[in-house]
Amino acid sequence: MKLSQILFSQGFGARRECEGLIVSGHVKIGGQVHDDPFEELAPEGLVFTVRGETWPYHAKALIVMNKPQGVECSQKPKHHMSVYSLLPVPLRRRDLQSIGRLDEDTTGLLLFTDDGALIHRFTHPKKHLNKVYDVTCKHPVTPDQVERLLAGVKLIDDPATVQAAACEVTGELTLKLTLTEGKYHQVKRMLAAVGNRVEGLHRSAFGALTLPADLAPGQWRWLSGPEAVSP
């Protein structure tokens, strides 16, 4: 693949922009300037720098972010900044989409990709992927509330019964809740249905993926290898 095509595929601008970056000496591979936009290179495994920023080639992007509080999972946010503003420009140019959404006040594991097939695999209802949430409640969590969450509760304006796949009390006011569905404000509505209220909500796992312990709020990283193969 031509070097200019590689940059274009990774979101570094229009083809002419990418050619200009290369000709101007802004692209390095292994510390050496590569200034021929038509140089043929094998893209797989290639790592290059553009204006000092290191970038690994990925035919399809898959990244994980530790979503901070107070940002919206929308390209056109209404009340807060967009979570997409936390991503570098090349990724935004690739039209990355979040795999599902988290409320503006919910924190934790959020995935992004430009692979439509992968989005389908992660979000198809038949997959029943576990989504694990650490919940902080306003009132003490009771055994009766846990039993009801596991047995299933009815949500307001929703005739279907929803239930937790797992529910573990982790403190007087905290619990770990595992869901396999993704209804609107589901955790908040389920806790409200059993007489409690969510004060804090953090997603720590999605399918086989867990939030890296060293990933600070607002930070992101590439996913690759086995963790990027199957949800």
Side-chain angles (χ1 to χ4, degrees):
M1 184 184 290
K2 293 180 176 64
L3 181 55
S4 60
Q5 292 177 316
I6 291 174
L7 262 64
F8 173 73
S9 73
Q10 300 303 286
F12 282 91
R15 294 185 187 277
R16 288 294 178 87
E17 290 180 87
C18 293
E19 290 176 4
L21 285 170
I22 297 166
V23 171
S24 300
H26 294 304
V27 179
K28 293 182 179 181
I29 301 174
Q32 300 296 316
V33 172
H34 285 241
D35 57 7
D36 179 3
F38 306 108
E39 179 183 2
E40 292 283 347
L41 295 165
E44 295 302 326
L46 183 67
V47 178
F48 55 92
T49 62
V50 178
R51 289 178 171 157
E53 180 180 8
T54 300
W55 202 263
Y57 174 86
H58 288 272
K60 293 293 184 180
L62 177 61
I63 66 170
V64 58
M65 176 187 288
N66 185 352
K67 178 190 172 294
Q69 195 172 38
V71 295
E72 297 182 28
C73 291
S74 172
Q75 299 277 13
K76 298 179 180 179
K78 296 181 179 179
H79 307 292
H80 300 273
M81 65 184 288
S82 169
V83 70
Y84 293 95
S85 67
L86 301 175
L87 299 173
V89 172
L91 286 178
R92 299 205 298 270
R93 282 176 172 161
R94 291 179 67 164
D95 194 28
L96 242 64
Q97 303 294 320
S98 63
I99 302 178
R101 294 189 173 194
L102 294 178
D103 299 339
E104 61 191 45
D105 56 349
T106 301
T107 62
L109 192 156
L110 184 62
L111 299 172
F112 297 84
T113 187
D114 56 358
D115 186 341
L118 189 61
I119 292 175
H120 179 76
R121 283 164 54 193
F122 268 95
T123 58
H124 196 284
K126 291 185 178 179
K127 284 292 184 180
H128 298 295
L129 293 181
N130 286 344
K131 304 173 187 70
V132 181
Y133 296 89
D134 298 315
V135 188
T136 301
C137 302
K138 182 175 182 179
H139 308 293
V141 181
T142 67
D144 176 68
Q145 290 173 352
V146 172
E147 289 180 11
R148 291 170 64 189
L149 289 169
L150 290 170
V153 296
K154 285 187 176 294
L155 307 180
I156 297 176
D157 300 326
D158 192 335
T161 298
V162 294
Q163 62 188 107
C167 185
E168 174 190 356
V169 176
T170 56
E172 183 182 10
L173 298 172
T174 59
L175 56 83
K176 188 178 293 291
L177 192 69
T178 302
L179 305 179
T180 58
E181 301 170 283
K183 294 180 180 291
Y184 180 70
H185 287 168
Q186 184 172 343
V187 176
K188 297 175 182 178
R189 294 164 69 198
M190 288 180 71
L191 266 296
V194 298
N196 213 320
R197 176 176 173 177
V198 173
E199 295 285 285
L201 190 58
H202 177 83
R203 184 160 71 187
S204 56
F206 187 179
L209 299 170
T210 57
L211 185 67
D214 60 345
L215 197 63
Q219 290 186 341
W220 65 274
R221 72 176 50 160
W222 295 98
L223 292 176
S224 58
E227 60 191 354
V229 173
S230 60

